[in-house]
Amino acid sequence: MSAPVPHYLRFAPRADGRPEIASWLASLARWRWPVLAGALAGALAGLLLALHRTPVYEASALLLVTDGQSRILALAEPPARLPVTDAASAPATPGTPRLARAVTAPAHNGEANYVNQLEYLRSYSLGLQVIRKQMLWLQPEFDPATRPRAPLDRLRALVQGETAAPATPEALATATWPAFAERLVVTALPDTRLISVRFRAGDPQLAARMANAVVSTYLDAAHATRLTLESHNRDALERQARDLRGRLETSAGALQRYRERSGIVTLGGSTQTLAAQNIRSIEARLAEARLLRSTREAALQQARGTPVEAYATLPAALASPGFADAQLDVDAVRVRIAELAERYGSEHPLMQQARGEAKEAEARRDQQARTAIAALRRDSEAAAATERALEKELAGARAAVLHLNRTESTLGDYERRARSDRERYDLNRLRTRASAALHEARTDPARVIGPAEAPLRPLGAPTLHFVLGGLLGGFLLAALAAILRERLWLATQDAAEAERQFALPVLAEIPQAATPAGDVLARLESTAPASAFAESIRTLRSAVLLSDVDLPCRLLLVTSSVAGEGKTTVAANLALSLARTGRCLLIDADLRRAGLTNSLAMPRELFGLSDYLERPAAAAQFIHRLEGSELDVLPAGRIVANPLELLESGPLPLLLQALATRYAHIIIDSPPLTPASDALLIAPLCTRTLYVLRARSTLAPLTRRALVRLARVGARPLGLVFNAGEARPLATPAAEDPRTPPPWQAVPDTPAG
């Protein structure tokens, strides 16, 4: 299982997000001469621009806009055609800019009038008037014949076969308009009602004359426009007065004819009140009739369902005098029969006579009951008839009121129409009088506050400003180019950038060294001890000696990303320097090329590491002393076809464990990590790993990927060696990683082979 990637190899961006100012300054320092040349070139360009620029003078006139125009324009609709034309009527000539509307719409407040005057000063129509009056095309800088045309316009003229237009004043003014529009500047002063009219020209007198001409032409056109609007308002008001007078006469006649046809003068007041009272009286009597009818129908239904003997209990029977008398006779006969039966018995002749009288009394009573029921029926029918008559009367009263309301509504419409026509006619008369008063008290829409005068100085910054601006611009562009070049270039530029990118200390910066004649670069530390190269190697040796001071043997792996970065040279010279401080062994682990063996000019037929891994024997048989030094070297041996399998399956851990008991320093030169994986097998067996970079050559992504691979197999980096860079003070080695020692330290101390 591979080891986790350390936090310092994840290369996360800075959390604070601040720019790398120090890195930028370092980039500028490395490219200082090109940056300085760019700044001087910018200053020279600014000076040339200042010397060859054409002087341009600007004259300015001030206008104060009043509200008199808005009061006049608010009286009526604008005329169909006024002397002041809109920008939309301008001919669509090539190069003519798009213009805003002119003052042809009524302004209902001072702000709208102010904006209208501002836009009219920029309008195409006013510009043509100024150009024609001043014959501006006679000035050399405004002459259409000398003014360059756009390439597209020239091509269009060539394709369409256009010929030169006749030199009429209208055509010349139209052709001069684009140049005039470019030189005219009309702006509003903030928080005021002032308008600044500025004109630019190469002649100061011409600039002042054109600015004053624009102002005077504007005032003349505004005055003519106001007179035209006033005339239009008067005509419009007179037409409206005639129309309103005719409408008033028509509506008044229609009202009078309707009154005569309806036979009324006014409706409302007492008529409506009497109609409402009549409806309420009919509704009250109808309610009483309905109550009486329902009462009588209930009494009739009750009488019909009651036996004759029980009629005496009915309210209707009791209310009938004939029935009450007949009932009293029946009661009297019954009392007499009871007395006779008690005195004489039931067979007495008087009893027979009394019974006959009782029958006659009951017959009279029944006749009276039938008479009472018939009276109830007649009363019920009369009440129902009365109810129907009242309902019909109520419907007629309501229909009369509805007709009265419709008549009143129609008459009200006629009256309102006549009243509205009267109000419009009166309002028109009032507006006519107000228009006449305003005509007498009219004011100009604007007045000149300050006429334009010939300027004394041309526009633009002084020559010094051009030079300083060019100097600053050239410096910024050159600095930006330098920084972008280093940022877009993937190679690591310097040691500080390497430390920032890979979070590892740079132990030494090895300068570029020229090999003297007859010397070997791999032994330059001993052959040229006073050189900067040797000093940087000794700086690297000090960093190695200060690390892992508690270990009896430092086993250091030296590797890089790709070939040609100087790792073999660094390993050989570092080993030579360490050999003067204690016993040191240099191992060439590049079984493919034997680069270290070739650099030290050792014979290739010497037995070496590959021979030992194939047939282990005593280690002393494969170790050779480098001539003229105290350094022992274990060469690569013969080149094999399967170096990776040999390193993985061979007795390399046993060999390193045995050698660690004899030497204080063991330096292993391994193949680069990108083309081969040999270093990944050797790194876990070493106490530290030293990584070599080449300045402005080693690509940062390759280095980052190689360091991640080393971390995954458990390698412990000591730091970076920046080759072909500039020497700098000693850096602090990477802190000791508290992990389990490499596997070779756990192997028993037995002789190799």
Side-chain angles (χ1 to χ4, degrees), residues 612 616-620 651 654-659 662 749-753:
Y612 174 83
L654 296 176
L655 174 63
L656 294 178
Q657 187 261 346
L659 294 175
R662 305 175 188 175
D749 188 7
T750 57

Side-chain angles (χ1 to χ4, degrees), residues 267-277 401 404-405 408:
L267 296 175
S270 60
T271 304
Q272 293 285 353
T273 303
L274 291 176
Q277 291 178 356
V401 170
L404 187 63
N405 290 338
E408 183 182 21

Side-chain angles (χ1 to χ4, degrees), residues 466-507:
F466 277 86
V467 174
L468 293 179
L471 180 66
L472 179 60
F475 172 77
L476 292 178
L477 289 177
L480 179 61
I483 294 175
L484 287 179
R485 186 191 184 285
E486 294 204 352
R487 291 299 177 272
L488 297 179
W489 195 11
L490 296 179
T492 305
Q493 302 300 313
D494 54 22
E497 183 179 354
E499 290 182 344
R500 184 179 64 256
Q501 288 180 339
F502 310 119
L504 288 174
V506 175
L507 304 180

